[in-house]
Amino acid sequence: MKTALWLYMFLFLAFFDLHAQYPVLTPFAISLGAAPTFIGWMMGIYALTHLPGNLLAGSLIDRHGSRRYIIFSLTAAGIILLLQAHVQLPWQLLVLRSISGFVLAFLSPACLALLASLSRDPVTQGKYMSGHGVIHTLASVLSPAAGAFIVANAGFSGTFQSLGWLLIFTGLMAFFSLPKPMSAAAKHKGQQAEPINNEKPARFPFSLRLYLIPFAIACSQGILFFEIPLRESGLASIMSTGLLFSVISLGALVTLSMLFLNRYAPHIRVTIGVFGLAICFYALAAADHVPIMIILFTLGLAKGLLFPALSSLFIQLSGGGRLGKVFSFQSIAMSLGSFVGPIAAGQLRTVVSPYFVAFLMLMTVLLLLPKRNREAPLTAISPETPISTV
């Protein structure tokens, strides 16, 4: 539990730093003379360069543990932000964003694998995932508005420098707070659990079609992050953009705080969350009479329900083994979605509302979800399973 608390503390700082950039990057690129299409590519290339990092992360985390890769990602990303403070041309920003995408590709699967390895109990693992979501959401509630405030007072260069030093400091905190034996212990536990799943060593114990869910979520989220800052161009919209992102995170915090939701099956929560996201994107595309604050708050409610449920679903279906590879595949799917989303929005926004494209995609993925009865053998109650009557 002590390791989890340390992890939550520096994860808060890391997520705060990363989310503070969301309302800043698009206006910064516009100030450099970038066109909307280029901005879409800039946001997409960040996700595209996640792919080689994600492919490496899975096997490396399972082999060496999470600690060294968490430290590497945080420190390297901080150095890149320090360089980003001195960018003068759009292509320089594109290069730095692509490098940043690679080094940060190790962070998410390493953190999720470390949290999941702290316990073998599914309920406890679900609580750790919910805690991860709460920390992530708390940081994202505060950081967009904080990033906009820093830009208004210190400018783009001062903002990137302060955020870069914060990431480096967080990397140093991870170096001293995460115990070195944790990776070895997690690896040893994985080896003990391996004979249970020895019958299928070369395959995932669930359909890879499930990775369409994180792909669609990331794609729709990329569209949202692309479209909201472009409601107005220039510095005048930075503060309002930051507040809108905070409204989304505030809605997610509400559902993440409802710990009783963990009692329900992850499959049900994922289905409801995806459907809720789809309805919100339809409202953004067609329901002009509904205040955008209400829509985004509801979208946050759906995200808060969906993300911990998705992690719990993958842990449950994987049987607790090869978590590094399971979560790296999830990150790959989200990287692809984050790459496709902004680029599609930049290309299609003059033809059709990108929000409507996100709605169609989420509804299609919802229809293609595997039926629950295929997962039943993995979650069935055995004779040794205690049944609570409370």
Side-chain angles (χ1 to χ4, degrees):
M1 187 61 185
K2 183 179 178 181
T3 301
L5 291 176
W6 276 110
L7 186 60
Y8 286 150
M9 186 168 69
F10 75 78
L11 277 178
F12 174 82
L13 296 176
F15 288 139
F16 180 91
D17 191 300
L18 296 174
H19 282 271
Q21 300 179 55
Y22 286 148
V24 177
L25 282 172
T26 297
F28 178 57
I30 292 175
S31 71
L32 296 177
T37 302
F38 181 88
I39 295 173
W41 279 100
M42 179 197 70
M43 297 178 69
I45 199 68
Y46 172 86
L48 183 64
T49 54
H50 256 55
L51 293 178
N54 290 147
L55 290 171
L56 291 172
S59 58
L60 291 176
I61 291 170
D62 286 337
R63 189 179 309 162
H64 304 293
S66 301
R67 181 179 182 271
R68 65 182 68 182
Y69 300 106
I70 293 175
I71 297 170
F72 162 75
S73 292
L74 294 171
T75 307
I79 294 173
I80 292 170
L81 272 178
L82 294 180
L83 296 175
Q84 192 169 300
H86 303 286
V87 162
Q88 299 293 329
L89 298 172
W91 69 266
Q92 295 173 340
L93 181 61
L94 183 69
V95 171
L96 288 178
R97 290 293 292 168
S98 64
I99 300 173
S100 180
F102 175 79
V103 300
L104 285 171
F106 294 85
L107 183 60
S108 181
C111 291
L112 290 173
L114 179 57
L115 278 173
S117 67
L118 295 179
S119 174
R120 307 300 295 177
D121 178 53
V123 176
T124 305
Q125 287 176 333
K127 290 181 179 179
Y128 282 143
M129 293 302 140
S130 295
H132 174 271
V134 170
I135 293 299
H136 192 166
T137 305
L138 277 174
S140 59
V141 167
L142 301 174
S143 57
F149 178 79
I150 297 173
V151 169
N153 290 275
F156 292 117
S157 179
T159 300
F160 291 131
Q161 286 187 28
S162 60
L163 295 178
W165 284 115
L166 180 59
L167 272 183
I168 293 174
F169 171 75
T170 307
L172 291 174
M173 183 185 297
F175 179 80
F176 290 108
S177 62
L178 289 181
K180 293 181 180 179
M182 178 54 62
S183 61
K187 184 177 179 181
H188 183 62
K189 287 184 179 180
Q191 288 173 347
Q192 289 179 345
E194 192 69 28
I196 299 176
N197 295 323
N198 233 5
E199 296 178 1
K200 298 190 235 182
R203 290 190 174 188
F204 274 78
F206 57 85
S207 173
L208 293 179
R209 187 169 49 170
L210 280 175
Y211 286 111
L212 288 174
I213 306 173
F215 171 82
I217 294 169
C219 188
S220 61
Q221 189 167 261
I223 290 173
L224 187 69
F225 289 161
F226 179 86
E227 283 294 314
I228 287 183
L230 291 181
R231 291 179 306 109
E232 301 174 20
S233 60
L235 296 175
S237 65
I238 295 179
M239 185 62 72
S240 61
T241 299
L243 291 175
L244 289 177
F245 282 130
S246 294
V247 167
I248 298 173
S249 301
L250 190 61
L253 182 62
V254 172
T255 44
L256 283 169
S257 302
M258 299 178 181
L259 298 180
F260 67 89
L261 293 175
N262 290 321
R263 301 175 185 174
Y264 298 96
H267 185 275
I268 296 176
R269 287 182 281 149
V270 168
T271 303
I272 295 174
V274 173
F275 181 73
L277 280 181
I279 295 300
C280 289
F281 276 102
Y282 182 82
L284 286 170
D288 295 333
H289 60 283
V290 180
I292 190 172
M293 288 280 192
I294 295 178
I295 297 175
L296 293 180
F297 182 80
T298 307
L299 189 146
L301 292 175
K303 284 180 61 177
L305 176 67
L306 180 58
F307 279 105
L310 190 59
S311 298
S312 296
L313 182 64
F314 284 139
I315 293 173
Q316 181 186 76
L317 297 181
S318 67
R322 295 179 296 171
L323 292 174
K325 185 170 292 186
V326 168
F327 286 122
S328 70
F329 270 50
Q330 179 183 350
S331 296
I332 289 172
M334 298 195 76
S335 297
L336 286 172
S338 298
F339 173 71
V340 172
I343 294 176
Q347 298 293 331
L348 299 176
R349 67 193 312 263
T350 58
V351 180
V352 64
S353 171
Y355 295 134
F356 188 70
V357 175
F359 163 74
L360 290 178
M361 180 176 51
L362 288 168
M363 291 301 294
T364 302
V365 168
L366 189 63
L367 293 174
L368 293 176
L369 281 180
K371 293 182 180 180
R372 193 182 175 191
N373 57 9
R374 295 186 183 181
E375 301 161 13
L378 293 173
T379 58
I381 298 176
S382 65
E384 293 79 19
T385 305
I387 301 176
S388 175
T389 58
V390 178

